[in-house]
Amino acid sequence: MSKTRIAAAAIGLAGALAASQAQAQSASSSEQEIALLKQQLKMLEQKLDKLQSQTAANTAATAKARAEAKAEAKAEARSEAKAVVANANAAVPFKTPPPVSGAVVTMPNNRPTICTADGANCVAITSRVHWDVGGYDFRPNTAATVPQKLDSGENVRRARIGVVGKFLEDWNFALIYDFGGSSDGFGGTGAAGTTPVGFLPGGGTSGIENAFVSYTGLKPFGGKMAIEAGIMDIAWTLDESTSSNDIAFMERASVGIIAQNIAAGDFRSAAGARWYNDVFYAGAYVTGPTTGAIHSASTASPPGTSEQYGATARVAGQVVSGNDYSVHLGADAEWLIQPPRNLIANTQTLTLSDRPELRIDPTSLISTGAIANVSGAQVYGVEAAATYGPLWVQGEYYWFNIDRDANTAVAPVGTSSLKFQGGYAQAAYVLTGESRKYNPASAAYGGVKPNNPFSINGGGWGAWEIAGRYSTVDLNDQLATAAGIAGGRQTIYTLALNWYVNGNVRFMLDYLHGTVSKQASAVSATDTGSKFDAVALRTQFAF
């Protein structure tokens, strides 16, 4: 190899090395530039993100402002519209939409009832109508018998309407007026000057049957208690504790009516309490006069009288019970502590009487007349009842004691007490299989509720019941003495057929056969007794 070639090769090698070094330096510079550009790009991306966030925030704020402005405009427009509607409603009231009251309207057993939404306050309309039609075959024993005839016809026995309800769950009330009794009594005999006037058709008795308030918030000894006062129906006897809508006969037995009329019964002012649970019942009341009694001490016609007061007590219980049977026992006591006193004639009397277990004609066939110098009276009774499926039996017996030692200076003075007594036994059988249910609140059996109410379309025939009763009461004592009372002895047999059309409508058909043994007075054996047969039909609805 020549020197020239070697020199050329050396020069070429040197150039290649120089070029290689230059390329290396160029590559290093490019990497730095790339890194720098990446850093700048990252900074630009961050700035872009920040700008985008700010833009989004500004957009949202703008939208919110617009929405608020729009909502405010709508509210203002709505307010203006309401003002326009209010003005229009003020000008035309019937166009105002009714406010939401929160009341709930129901019809339990077809009784219109309005309650608050929580059920703590309620008011309901209640009513009953008992319309009787019937006739008597009356046979006086002698011409001395009074009366000589009983009048056949009709009687609106009860026509009641009123309201019942509660306040704040525990305060119960009732206000019921009775428009019935068109033949329950004779017109008043008072006078305006010398002109006789009658106070009410059928008798001088107020029609307020119930007007009382009852508190049931206390529940001592695991039971329920009702503390009540006002004008009410004192559930003193077992028969009286059963609603007149549910009794098996058109009228209750005479002995119970006579007993409760002394100081208990319907239309009676009273205050007291009763406690009960599923087994036991106890109640006691202080009683006053009935509604319509004279409250004046100075009137001459009718005579001014002082008001009477008395007391009643009853304990009873369902001593045996099962799925389709039960047994009830009880005892009662009643005291007339202060009889009413006639302040004009200075007399203090008591009369015991009743109609012959039917009220088409208001005449009483047995009566003690006005017993003079009565200082008090006591009545004691026992009661029993039982059910077995559709069979129901019930009976009561009562003993009366009338004290006659009041100091009125009216003969006879200082005479001995009088003793009377009486009772009844009755039974009923529901042919369609229903049974009477026990009501612990009154310690008595309720009525018959048909399983299949009568319906021409549905094929139901309601419930059918047959019943029979024997009742007797003796108002004779100390006969053949001047101080004796010849009020008479009455015995009545009653058969009944009852059709319960549905829970609100009932038809009752009663047949009565009665005998009254009576003499003209305690010292006269003249026969003034009688016999009678009667048939009567009752049409009833109640809710």
Side-chain angles (χ1 to χ4, degrees):
M1 182 179 297
S2 67
K3 290 182 179 180
T4 302
R5 291 181 178 178
I6 293 172
I11 292 170
L13 180 60
L17 288 172
S20 174
Q21 185 175 2
Q23 289 177 355
Q25 291 177 351
S26 176
S28 175
S29 177
S30 296
E31 289 177 356
Q32 291 177 356
E33 289 180 2
I34 290 171
L36 182 60
L37 290 172
K38 286 182 176 180
Q39 185 177 359
Q40 292 176 349
L41 180 61
K42 185 175 182 181
M43 292 176 64
L44 288 172
E45 289 177 348
Q46 291 176 350
K47 190 174 183 180
L48 179 61
D49 290 341
K50 186 176 181 181
L51 289 173
Q52 288 177 341
S53 298
Q54 290 178 351
T55 302
N58 292 337
T59 303
T62 302
K64 182 178 180 182
R66 289 178 178 174
E68 290 177 351
K70 187 176 181 180
E72 186 176 350
K74 285 184 176 179
E76 187 174 349
R78 190 180 298 112
S79 178
E80 292 177 357
K82 285 183 177 180
V84 172
V85 172
N87 292 335
N89 287 339
V92 188
F94 61 84
K95 290 185 178 180
T96 303
V100 178
S101 65
V104 178
V105 180
T106 58
M107 292 282 289
N109 197 32
N110 292 321
R111 173 180 289 180
T113 305
I114 303 174
C115 296
T116 53
D118 60 1
N121 304 276
C122 294
V123 61
I125 301 174
T126 183
S127 179
R128 71 184 65 181
V129 170
H130 299 170
W131 180 55
D132 300 344
V133 178
Y136 300 90
D137 176 17
F138 183 75
R139 303 179 297 279
N141 288 356
T142 67
T145 299
V146 177
Q148 286 286 298
K149 181 181 180 181
L150 293 178
D151 187 33
S152 302
E154 60 85 31
N155 177 26
V156 182
R157 177 67 173 87
R158 298 176 182 90
R160 299 176 183 172
I161 189 166
V163 293
V164 295
K166 62 180 179 178
F167 300 119
L168 299 177
E169 199 67 52
D170 298 325
W171 292 94
N172 304 274
F173 66 89
L175 177 59
I176 301 173
Y177 196 92
D178 193 347
F179 295 90
S182 57
S183 296
D184 274 5
F186 296 103
T189 56
T194 59
T195 303
V197 296
F199 297 103
L200 285 176
T205 302
S206 168
I208 300 176
E209 200 263 344
N210 275 312
F212 70 87
V213 64
S214 173
Y215 180 70
T216 56
L218 300 178
K219 296 175 174 59
F221 310 110
K224 299 179 180 180
M225 174 176 280
I227 304 171
E228 41 206 4
I231 306 299
M232 65 187 75
D233 180 3
I234 303 297
W236 177 58
T237 70
L238 176 57
D239 218 8
E240 182 65 23
S241 299
T242 303
S243 168
S244 61
N245 291 327
D246 299 328
I247 54 178
F249 304 91
M250 291 173 60
E251 298 296 338
R252 298 178 175 95
S254 285
V255 63
I257 298 298
I258 294 171
Q260 71 188 27
N261 282 348
I262 294 176
D266 289 351
F267 304 88
R268 180 72 61 181
S269 57
R274 53 191 168 93
W275 178 93
Y276 60 94
N277 58 21
D278 291 339
V279 176
F280 186 73
Y281 171 100
Y285 294 84
V286 176
T287 68
T290 57
T291 57
I294 302 301
H295 292 267
S296 171
S298 60
T299 60
S301 182
T305 62
S306 63
E307 296 184 11
Q308 75 166 60
Y309 63 89
T312 67
R314 178 176 179 239
V315 293
Q318 192 177 29
V319 296
V320 176
S321 64
N323 291 332
D324 61 349
Y325 62 90
S326 64
V327 175
H328 164 99
L329 296 175
D332 326 284
E334 177 186 44
W335 302 270
L336 177 60
I337 300 170
Q338 175 59 57
R341 188 182 186 97
N342 185 317
L343 302 178
I344 305 300
N346 193 33
T347 58
Q348 197 161 286
T349 64
L350 176 67
T351 300
L352 305 183
S353 66
D354 188 43
R355 285 141 288 199
E357 299 181 2
L358 187 63
R359 307 229 176 162
I360 304 298
D361 187 304
T363 306
S364 295
L365 300 183
I366 53 171
S367 176
T368 61
I371 302 173
N373 296 319
V374 173
S375 58
Q378 307 85 43
V379 183
Y380 304 101
V382 293
E383 60 187 56
T387 59
Y388 184 76
L391 176 65
W392 166 70
V393 295
Q394 177 174 301
E396 296 181 87
Y397 204 89
Y398 289 92
W399 295 266
F400 300 73
N401 182 75
I402 313 298
D403 297 321
R404 297 189 292 176
D405 53 6
N407 182 19
T408 65
V410 177
V413 178
T415 52
S416 60
S417 298
L418 295 168
K419 310 289 184 182
F420 306 118
Q421 61 182 317
Y424 72 89
Q426 61 191 33
Y429 187 85
V430 185
L431 302 174
T432 46
E434 292 86 348
S435 60
R436 291 176 176 263
K437 305 300 181 184
Y438 193 73
N439 180 10
S442 59
Y445 290 94
V448 176
K449 304 300 180 185
N451 294 331
N452 300 292
F454 173 74
S455 173
I456 295 177
N457 296 327
W461 285 97
W464 291 80
E465 178 185 49
I466 55 174
R469 179 175 66 196
Y470 165 79
S471 75
T472 182
V473 58
D474 187 354
L475 297 182
N476 295 322
D477 192 32
Q478 301 178 27
L479 296 180
T481 68
I485 295 293
R489 176 167 183 160
Q490 174 181 280
T491 300
I492 299 179
Y493 300 88
T494 305
L495 296 176
L497 174 65
N498 302 318
W499 180 28
Y500 300 84
V501 179
N502 49 49
N504 303 99
V505 177
R506 176 171 71 158
F507 295 96
M508 308 177 72
L509 180 64
D510 282 13
Y511 165 74
L512 298 84
H513 173 75
T515 301
V516 176
S517 300
K518 191 176 182 182
Q519 61 186 57
S521 69
V523 294
S524 171
T526 301
D527 185 1
T528 58
S530 58
K531 299 179 180 62
F532 71 90
D533 293 279
V535 176
L537 173 69
R538 169 170 293 174
T539 301
Q540 167 185 318
F541 76 80
F543 59 83

